[in-house]
Amino acid sequence: MQQTIGITTVDVNDEGYLTDPGQWTPELAHQIAQAQGFELTDKHFEVLHYLRDRYAEGTPLTIRRIGKSGLVTIKEFYDLFPGGPLKVSSKIAGIPKPASCV
């Protein structure tokens, strides 16, 4: 299915995750974050790029792995992406919902 986010129409699944990570742009990330109720900072983008890079490598994503990445602590990750940090950050990063998220 398609969804219009801001002025961009993208392909998403029934949970709103992009089905084509190639459609992701930083502007789209800002629009998704605004819909989630917060503004993105440079630190958010560091995490988003980390997630996208790990996804491209085929590395399974977990909160623990992100906490050990050296980018952010687990507490900081929760503070950056309230309401389910891995689930929310994956959606904003334009990658599928990780298998570790329910």
Side-chain angles (χ1 to χ4, degrees), residues 10-29:
V10 292
D11 298 317
V12 298
N13 66 14
D14 59 343
E15 294 182 286
Y17 289 83
L18 293 185
T19 55
D20 178 4
Q23 293 181 318
W24 184 86
T25 64
E27 292 77 24
L28 185 62

Side-chain angles (χ1 to χ4, degrees), residues 59-80:
T59 304
L61 297 170
T62 64
I63 290 175
R64 180 174 290 193
R65 180 163 290 154
I66 292 164
K68 290 183 176 185
S69 69
L71 280 175
V72 291
T73 65
I74 291 175
K75 182 182 181 329
E76 291 168 333
F77 189 43
Y78 274 87
D79 290 342
L80 285 172

Side-chain angles (χ1 to χ4, degrees), residues 34-93:
Q34 286 175 346
Q36 297 284 323
F38 57 94
E39 297 290 327
L40 296 178
T41 64
D42 290 343
K43 195 63 173 176
H44 286 97
F45 274 101
E46 285 182 41
V47 174
L48 296 176
H49 287 294
Y50 173 83
L51 294 174
R52 290 181 58 80
D53 290 346
R54 298 297 82 77
Y55 172 74
E57 294 171 353
T59 304
L61 297 170
T62 64
I63 290 175
R64 180 174 290 193
R65 180 163 290 154
I66 292 164
K68 290 183 176 185
S69 69
L71 280 175
V72 291
T73 65
I74 291 175
K75 182 182 181 329
E76 291 168 333
F77 189 43
Y78 274 87
D79 290 342
L80 285 172
F81 299 98
L86 188 54
K87 197 172 177 180
V88 171
S89 62
S90 296
K91 184 177 279 188
I92 296 170

